[in-house]
Amino acid sequence: MGDSTNIIVGTAGKAYSAPVGSTFPLGPEVPWGASFGDMGFVTPDGLEEALAEERTQLDAWGEDAPVIDLAKKRTQTFKLTFRETTAGLLSLYYQVQQAKMTATAAATGKKQFVSFGTGSLADTVEIALGLDVIMSGKLHRIMIARAGVTDRGAIKHSADDSSNYELTFTALAAPGGAQSVQHFITDVTLPEVDGG
């Protein structure tokens, strides 16, 4: 019989970014370290997580079904739409290092502004990405050691909605051979393993 307490509803969440190589928390309720910064408001669409796989099947003479099914590549993606316009999100959307952005201070009668150019394929912006999904009293923490933006939605400037940044992050190979993606999920028990 089913158990309704196992049903997950992601009612809220947060996204955090840090430099690649930053140390992740050691549990789902451990605070994020000082190197992780809040990426701001996310639209009510929440987080869309996807796992795609490329597989190779090996056949054998006289067999009518594959004898080996090998995973060649697994690609994990995480899609979020952010509402705020910040230097960090501009950097990720336009693939411009923040060090290459120029800040001009406010002057009498003039507002402060940031400026940058785009178009260089040499610029690659990668981050360590942390995600907290809060759901029905449970917490699902996802930690991506190295992530890059591999897809972007169009930015719409209109009176109907905020100018949002729809970003799809792809988990990349982690530095030093570490796990590329780690999950912590509270209130999920493993079945007992029969040692006999």
Side-chain angles (χ1 to χ4, degrees), residues 122-190:
D123 255 346
T124 300
V125 180
E126 296 177 353
I127 59 170
L129 179 63
L131 303 168
D132 276 341
V133 181
I134 302 161
M135 46 203 180
S136 312
K138 299 181 187 218
L139 182 64
H140 184 174
R141 176 164 285 177
I142 306 169
M143 297 157 291
I144 302 103
R146 183 173 155 242
V149 176
T150 51
D151 198 17
R152 297 160 181 78
I155 300 174
K156 183 179 179 184
H157 302 287
S158 78
D160 299 328
D161 198 359
S162 54
S163 298
N164 299 325
Y165 300 88
E166 179 188 297
L167 302 176
T168 299
F169 297 91
T170 295
L172 305 171
Q179 292 176 321
S180 59
V181 181
Q182 297 181 64
H183 295 262
F184 294 145
I185 309 177
T186 62
D187 297 327
V188 176
T189 57
L190 290 175

Side-chain angles (χ1 to χ4, degrees), residues 19-98:
V20 173
S22 297
T23 301
F24 284 104
L26 296 177
E29 297 172 297
V30 177
W32 292 92
S35 58
F36 285 88
D38 188 336
M39 296 178 73
F41 289 121
V42 175
T43 62
D45 296 333
L47 168 67
E48 184 179 312
E49 178 185 357
L51 178 58
E53 220 172 40
E54 289 182 25
R55 304 191 70 85
T56 296
Q57 294 180 336
L58 303 180
D59 300 323
W61 192 8
E63 299 295 330
D64 61 0
V67 292
I68 293 180
D69 185 26
L70 297 171
K72 284 177 61 179
K73 181 171 78 168
R74 289 189 181 99
T75 304
Q76 295 184 65
T77 58
F78 305 87
K79 179 179 171 184
L80 298 131
T81 302
F82 297 93
R83 284 215 185 271
E84 299 183 41
T85 298
T86 64
L89 288 170
L90 291 170
S91 170
L92 288 165
Y93 188 89
Y94 292 106
Q95 284 295 288
V96 176
Q97 299 285 344
Q98 288 186 50

